[in-house]
């Protein structure tokens, strides 16, 4: 996977940025502290992005089959006999209880 740079500046570019001073310029210590805070944010964002990219890749690589959908069973006709009902009940008991019922 190709890594793209999302921000215009890298943390190294921010760190290495040198401002010219003038008579009424900014306090250099305040600027340096602010740039240090920005670098920490960049590092945190880069770490979070890497973690999310890894999580996305792991989710993409999981092979979970789609859920199986069974066709509905046909409903019995209204004129069933007792024999049909008993046979279905017996099949249901075999299915639910298995061989335990007949041991």
């Amino acid at each position: 996977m190709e890594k793209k740079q999302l921000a215009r500046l890298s943390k190294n570019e921010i760190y290495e940025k040198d401002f010219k001073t003038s008579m009424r310029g900014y306090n250099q210590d305040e600027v340096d502290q602010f740039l240090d805070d920005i670098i920490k944010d960049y590092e945190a964002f880069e770490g979070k992005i890497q973690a999310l990219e890894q999580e996305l890749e792991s989710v993409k690589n999981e092979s979970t089959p789609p859920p199986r959908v069974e066709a509905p069973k046909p409903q019995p006709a209204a004129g069933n006999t007792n024999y049909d009902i008993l046979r279905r009940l017996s099949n249901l008991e075999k299915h639910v209880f298995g061989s335990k019922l007949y041991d």
Side-chain angles (χ1 to χ4, degrees), residues 1-6 49-61:
M1 179 198 293
E2 184 179 321
K3 186 176 183 181
K4 293 188 264 182
Q5 184 174 350
L6 300 175
I49 289 169
Q50 287 176 351
L52 290 172
E53 286 174 344
Q54 289 174 351
E55 183 179 344
L56 178 62
E57 284 300 314
S58 68
V59 168
K60 283 181 179 179
N61 292 334

Side-chain angles (χ1 to χ4, degrees), residues 1-2 6 8-9 12 16 20 26 35 37 50 52 66-70 72 79 84 91 96 99 103:
M1 179 198 293
E2 184 179 321
L6 300 175
R8 266 184 21 180
L9 300 172
N12 289 334
E16 294 170 358
K20 296 178 184 175
Y26 294 104
L35 292 176
D37 292 342
Q50 287 176 351
L52 290 172
R68 187 175 163 194
V69 178
E70 294 184 20
D84 292 330
N91 287 337
V96 171
S99 63
D103 286 342

Side-chain angles (χ1 to χ4, degrees), residues 7-54:
R8 266 184 21 180
L9 300 172
S10 71
K11 60 184 177 185
N12 289 334
E13 290 173 322
I14 295 170
Y15 180 74
E16 294 170 358
K17 177 67 176 168
D18 196 22
F19 295 94
K20 296 178 184 175
T21 57
S22 67
M23 184 180 279
R24 294 183 184 202
Y26 294 104
N27 180 333
Q28 192 169 0
D29 291 334
E30 287 180 8
V31 171
D32 287 343
Q33 179 60 45
F34 184 70
L35 292 176
D36 287 343
D37 292 342
I38 292 172
I39 290 171
K40 289 176 186 174
D41 285 348
Y42 265 66
E43 290 172 343
F45 291 142
E46 286 176 349
K48 183 67 173 177
I49 289 169
Q50 287 176 351
L52 290 172
E53 286 174 344
Q54 289 174 351

